[in-house]
Amino acid sequence: MARRRETYTDHYEGDFGLSALTAAVCAAAPVDVPAALRLAAGAANLCAGEGAVELGADVRLLLDSAVPEEALRAVWLAATGGRFDPAGHGMTTRAWLGRLAELYPARERTPAPRHAYGYAPTRPDVDEARLREDVVAEIRASAAEAPALTAPPLSGVPAALEAIAEEADADLALRLYLRVLKARHIPVDKAQFDRLMVLDERLAYPGPLVYDGLDVRWPPLDPARRDAEGDFGLSALAARFASPWHTRTAEGVVREAAAADETAQTPGSAAVLLLQDAVRLLDSPLPTGTIARVWAAASERGYDAEREGTDARDWLRTIAEVCRTRLAEVAPAYVPGHSPARTELAGAVLEVLRAVAPELADRTVSPHASPLTGTDAAEAVAAVVTEADPDLGFRLLLRLLDVLAVPLTEERYARCRALGERFGHGPWLVSEAVERLVRNE
């Protein structure tokens, strides 16, 4: 039997199939057969009963494979934390899987509904041979680096997982491998976590399936690290205020931004980066009025500090204090520091700014509320580049282009992409900000 690949994000919010069952068993007290069957029914009922499709497919793939009984038992016990041992109830592991197969026979999924605008759901195009190689490589990486996986009672588990990947299904082997890591609290380093997330994307898993409950050895917080895929810091916060936010307080929006770590970031990274931006502006020689103009432009006047009875520097102090509170919660040992500003890139940012200056001149930020011309906003951004931080200035320039809907040639867009790469920004920062503005020449 070959697995029919699905875009699992269309159906599930987390784990599914046999690996979801092992997670449920692991989270329970020691269970008997009736309790294990009730937990299996829960896994089958996921997604309005469509969970039975993956559970049935997983079980049948193992039963139809040449994976030996001792390998099946080793993985089952490791993934369930030993909460339910079929041998203790007069069954082999294969017999237990057979019982599940009777209850949840392999079947085709009910066709998923079409997406908005009539687009049919897609299925991932997976190179099965390459997938097997990559899954086996990750299992071996853990076996080489984690002593717990090579010592009793887990010493046979890596080879057993490899057998499942090679003889049954690499997708299932990966999910069971993740369950073993989580059940046995076996840490992975950041490099391996990044590789696991690549597999996650390739298989169209729901994101939490990999990272939820995984013990990652995160690198120390570092304001110089650029491992966010999209925008961050003060420019990302300003974008939040340009959207409807009035059901929350202003500080509430800042708290959300300070806690918005991406899955590949050390917890606390969003707060560290936002704090660095705020402090750089606070410590700069920029006039408070210039900072106010920059914020007004980047936030599209979504929050006006002066109208709220404070000034731009006091607003930055509020942002900084929220970030420090967040860091005290998630990284109490962290001592705030700042990376050197990339001053060598100031000229390149100003070149882009000068190139778009004519298009900025005839535009206005929020013309119905204290108009701010594009030229005034651009001059304020240029001051950030030269007096505070070219990285922050570049991100604020992208915000300004987005807010004012300035059309870009393909050549200017390419320059922005290249500059983002020089700053070390993630792959989506520039494209999400301004790709929609590109016009064919």
Side-chain angles (χ1 to χ4, degrees):
M1 172 184 173
R3 179 184 296 278
R4 178 175 174 172
R5 297 289 170 201
E6 299 286 346
T7 301
Y8 298 118
T9 51
D10 287 341
H11 306 286
Y12 305 105
E13 296 180 354
D15 208 348
F16 53 84
L18 192 64
S19 51
L21 173 56
T22 64
V25 172
C26 187
V31 296
D32 56 14
V33 173
L37 290 174
R38 286 194 296 273
L39 294 172
N45 284 333
L46 291 172
C47 190
E50 289 298 307
V53 174
E54 267 69 52
L55 183 55
D58 286 348
V59 168
R60 179 49 55 191
L61 283 162
L62 291 177
L63 290 173
D64 290 348
S65 74
V67 179
E69 167 65 22
E70 60 268 23
L72 294 175
R73 183 169 186 266
V75 171
W76 174 265
L77 292 178
T80 60
R83 297 291 195 277
F84 173 65
D85 184 354
H89 301 275
M91 291 183 290
T92 64
T93 309
R94 191 171 283 276
W96 162 242
L97 295 174
R99 189 160 181 180
L100 293 176
E102 292 174 0
L103 293 170
Y104 310 106
R107 65 175 176 83
E108 291 292 323
R109 179 182 297 284
T110 301
R114 299 176 75 86
H115 293 310
Y117 310 111
Y119 295 120
T122 59
R123 291 188 172 87
D125 183 15
V126 177
D127 182 330
E128 300 293 339
R130 175 68 182 277
L131 178 64
R132 283 194 299 273
E133 292 175 2
D134 290 346
V135 170
V136 168
E138 291 309 319
I139 295 168
R140 290 177 178 173
S142 281
E145 297 175 8
L149 268 177
T150 56
L154 302 182
S155 52
V157 171
L161 287 166
E162 287 189 36
I164 291 174
E166 292 172 344
E167 300 291 339
D169 180 55
D171 178 338
L172 173 57
L174 176 61
R175 287 185 279 116
L176 290 172
Y177 160 62
L178 289 166
R179 290 308 324 159
V180 171
L181 294 178
K182 295 170 185 180
R184 301 294 176 164
H185 306 290
I186 297 171
V188 302
D189 62 24
K190 175 66 161 56
Q192 187 174 11
F193 175 77
D194 289 342
R195 295 195 301 272
L196 289 169
M197 291 305 294
V198 170
L199 290 170
D200 167 283
E201 184 174 356
R202 192 189 309 176
L203 288 165
Y205 283 161
L209 190 151
V210 170
Y211 62 74
D212 192 22
L214 191 63
D215 183 4
V216 183
R217 289 193 297 255
W218 295 106
L221 287 168
D222 182 357
R225 187 178 300 117
R226 296 290 179 262
D227 50 6
E229 291 193 341
D231 201 3
F232 57 88
L234 196 70
S235 50
L237 175 64
R240 287 175 180 264
F241 279 99
S243 304
W245 62 274
H246 299 282
T247 57
R248 296 151 292 168
T249 65
E251 286 191 30
V253 178
V254 179
R255 282 194 294 273
E256 290 177 359
D261 303 314
E262 294 186 8
T263 56
Q265 289 183 296
T266 300
S269 293
V272 165
L273 294 168
L274 180 54
L275 176 61
Q276 176 168 260
D277 282 353
V279 171
R280 281 212 166 123
L281 289 182
L282 279 169
D283 291 347
S284 75
L286 289 169
T288 300
T290 299
I291 297 173
R293 287 195 296 277
V294 165
W295 173 259
S299 66
E300 205 168 356
R301 292 198 181 279
Y303 176 76
D304 189 328
E306 292 184 354
R307 192 167 58 226
E308 299 298 324
T310 184
D311 66 24
R313 272 194 157 80
D314 284 337
W315 173 232
L316 290 175
R317 292 185 185 98
T318 298
I319 293 170
E321 186 57 33
V322 169
C323 291
R324 293 188 182 101
T325 300
R326 163 69 177 171
L327 290 169
E329 295 169 353
V330 299
Y334 175 70
V335 178
H338 302 287
S339 60
R342 298 288 302 277
T343 55
E344 77 279 6
L345 294 178
V349 178
L350 293 176
E351 285 179 9
V352 174
L353 189 52
R354 284 192 290 268
V356 298
E359 285 80 6
L360 291 169
D362 60 352
R363 286 173 164 77
T364 303
V365 179
S366 300
H368 302 297
S370 303
L372 173 65
T373 68
T375 297
D376 287 342
E379 290 175 353
V381 169
V384 172
V385 174
T386 58
E387 301 294 336
D389 179 16
D391 185 326
L392 173 58
F394 176 62
R395 286 181 279 119
L396 291 170
L397 169 59
L398 295 176
R399 280 291 307 146
L400 183 60
L401 296 175
D402 187 16
V403 166
L404 297 180
V406 176
L408 295 178
T409 64
E410 292 183 357
E411 184 272 334
R412 286 177 183 169
Y413 176 62
R415 287 174 65 186
C416 289
R417 291 291 299 269
L419 190 49
E421 291 177 2
R422 292 176 69 186
F423 277 116
H425 293 158
W428 304 114
L429 190 148
V430 173
S431 60
E432 286 181 345
V434 296
E435 186 175 41
R436 69 181 183 85
L437 304 174
V438 179
R439 301 291 183 264
N440 292 327
E441 298 177 359

